[in-house]
Amino acid sequence: MAVQQDATAGDGRVGLRDTVVGTTSAAGAAIAQLASGLGTAFLALLVLLWLAVTAVTSLVGVGLLMAPRALSALHALAGRERDRLGRRGLEVIAPEPPPTRLRLALVDPTTRRELRWLARHATLGFLLGLLGVLLPITAARDSLFPLYWKLFPEDTTATSVGLGHAHSWPQALAVVMLGVGWIAIILGLGPGMARSQARPGRLLLAAGPEMDLSLRVAELTATRAAALDAHATELRRIERSLHDGTQNRIVSVTVLLGAARRMVARDPAGADELLERAQSAAEQALAELRTVSRSILPPVLDDRGLAGALSGLAAECAVPCRIDVAVPERCAASVEATAYFIVAEALTNIAKHSGAASATVSARSRGGRLHLCVEDDGRGGADEDGGSGLTGIRRRIAAHDGTLSLASPPGGPTTLKVDLPCGS
């Protein structure tokens, strides 16, 4: 009973620690996203003023000359926002390049959507970005106030909101409560503020229903090419494994058996030694053949499903790994195999390169999609465009028309998110 209580208490501490770390990481990422959005929101405010001046001066003809440059600035800023949102989440697919000539732009749906985004981002987005920058500053200012309040003149305002004065230690410590309140606001509202700032861009800057089908055809063509490339890469890997490993072992067995057959009459002891070596080589060839067959489609997926297969990967990982799987229904075999190999490659990269003390793998199925998330508390700095491991992961995902998102700032943590259709 005591052992069970200790284990329960330990699980509770681990769960609380994970909650605290997750909440703090989410709030930190939200503040960083709000701060980056403030930059584009400030530019959006300038472009909005420019367009307003252009519209007013067009009445006397001067604005007609400025319109192409103003529209080019609008389209460039919209492209910059798409890139920013893509770096911090799912990619925002751009529509066809909109026109810069005034007459065509007035009836162009993409330009209209960009103008609606500009108005929202220059107002609400700017306000949210400003709050994202000021809240951490005010939280640090009020939380650390007792450390420096003695250095201020007596009539200096004690709080960041311009109210109250501190003339004693209890009053100075009371300011800390305001700092704690700012921190609570950051932790509780920060992620929601970041989503509210990004929502207009994701809704209005993505290719709309009027998008030319040629873009989708080009995307599917690229996806098919990636699938064929991934398939060819797998075939080369299997052929290389069979040729360099299993085939050489079997040739060695054949040579040893032939030598033992010739020696059996004149040197029975030597023949017996050769037979032992042949048996050992045959066992190694069998083990390598099993390894190759598992790499094609792991049998554990059929035996235990995705949850059991991921649990097996976590148990074999050199870094302590926690598994959280909620996939009530089976996905297509190819999707489960892709998810298995993605997690296996991600855990291998974590063990080799991250220096992490722990990792977490979660899998969820919602709305016909399989969502994977692999996180670690390592040093970060992973590059989505670098390394054969991540390149292989990206090719497998592209073969299923899925999406990949990688966040790995220097110093960590690293978060790999994958979205796959369950039935493909």
Side-chain angles (χ1 to χ4, degrees), residues 55-392:
V56 172
T57 56
S58 293
L59 299 176
V60 294
V62 178
L64 298 177
L65 301 176
M66 294 191 300
R69 290 186 176 274
L71 290 172
S72 297
L74 169 64
H75 302 326
L77 182 60
R80 180 172 178 174
E81 180 70 2
R82 292 186 189 96
D83 293 339
R84 184 185 75 88
L85 295 176
R87 289 193 300 269
R88 299 182 177 274
L90 296 178
E91 180 184 4
V92 179
I93 299 177
E96 289 185 342
T100 56
R101 296 180 59 183
L102 182 59
R103 182 175 300 178
L104 297 176
L106 291 176
V107 296
D108 179 58
T110 299
T111 302
R112 292 181 178 180
R113 290 162 66 92
E114 288 182 353
L115 286 172
R116 290 165 56 193
W117 163 79
L118 185 73
R120 296 186 188 183
H121 196 55
T123 52
L124 179 61
F126 183 82
L127 177 61
L128 291 173
L130 197 60
L131 288 175
V133 172
L134 293 180
L135 280 175
I137 297 176
T138 55
R141 192 262 187 204
D142 291 339
S143 300
L144 302 178
F145 183 74
L147 299 180
Y148 57 81
W149 74 281
K150 284 282 191 180
L151 304 177
F152 286 176
E154 292 185 359
D155 296 333
T156 302
T157 302
T159 63
S160 57
V161 295
L163 300 176
H165 300 277
H167 302 289
S168 63
W169 278 105
Q171 292 175 338
L173 293 174
V175 179
V176 177
M177 301 304 297
L178 181 60
V180 173
W182 295 129
I183 295 175
I185 291 176
I186 293 173
L187 295 176
L189 301 182
M193 292 167 58
R195 289 192 296 269
S196 298
Q197 186 192 57
R199 187 175 296 113
R202 295 197 175 279
L203 291 177
L204 297 174
L205 296 183
E210 69 282 352
M211 179 186 67
D212 191 341
L213 289 179
S214 61
L215 290 178
R216 182 56 178 164
V217 171
E219 181 182 351
L220 292 176
T221 301
T223 299
R224 185 184 65 175
L228 293 174
D229 189 26
H231 179 67
T233 301
E234 283 297 299
L235 289 179
R236 285 195 298 269
R237 182 187 62 79
I238 294 171
E239 189 275 335
R240 191 163 53 247
S241 298
L242 293 175
H243 181 273
D244 297 341
T246 307
Q247 179 176 299
N248 288 341
R249 299 288 185 189
I250 295 176
V251 170
S252 176
V253 171
T254 303
V255 172
L256 290 173
L257 288 176
R261 183 179 180 182
R262 290 190 296 271
M263 292 177 61
V264 67
R266 66 177 185 274
D267 187 4
D272 186 62
E273 181 182 353
L274 291 177
L275 289 175
E276 289 183 1
R277 291 171 56 187
Q279 182 180 1
S280 177
E283 292 173 351
Q284 293 177 5
L286 182 60
E288 291 176 355
L289 190 58
R290 287 173 177 170
T291 301
V292 173
S293 64
R294 289 194 186 99
S295 68
I296 299 173
L297 185 64
V300 68
L301 286 173
D302 288 332
D303 299 337
R304 301 171 57 190
L306 184 60
L310 296 184
S311 298
L313 289 176
E316 297 174 358
C317 183
V319 176
C321 183
R322 185 169 63 90
I323 295 292
D324 182 15
V325 180
V327 184
E329 298 180 357
R330 296 295 298 267
C331 298
S334 60
V335 175
E336 290 188 346
T338 297
Y340 178 87
F341 286 119
I342 288 171
V343 174
E345 185 64 37
L347 293 180
T348 300
N349 289 342
I350 290 173
K352 287 183 177 180
H353 309 298
S354 71
S358 63
T360 302
V361 176
S362 62
R364 295 285 186 275
S365 61
R366 293 190 301 271
R369 309 287 294 185
L370 177 63
H371 305 277
L372 296 175
C373 181
V374 183
E375 300 177 272
D376 69 77
D377 57 0
R379 64 177 66 94
D383 184 6
E384 184 177 339
D385 296 326
S388 59
L390 286 173
T391 300

Side-chain angles (χ1 to χ4, degrees), residues 22-43:
T23 302
T24 305
S25 299
I31 292 300
Q33 183 172 347
L34 288 168
S36 67
L38 178 61
T40 56
F42 178 73
L43 295 176

Side-chain angles (χ1 to χ4, degrees), residues 90 338-339 342-343 346 362-364 369-374 393-394 396-398 402-406 415-421:
L90 296 178
T338 297
I342 288 171
V343 174
S362 62
R364 295 285 186 275
R369 309 287 294 185
L370 177 63
H371 305 277
L372 296 175
C373 181
V374 183
I393 289 176
R394 187 167 57 250
R396 288 181 180 273
I397 294 170
T403 59
L404 177 145
S405 172
L406 177 66
T415 303
L416 176 72
K417 294 183 178 180
V418 175
D419 179 69
L420 295 169

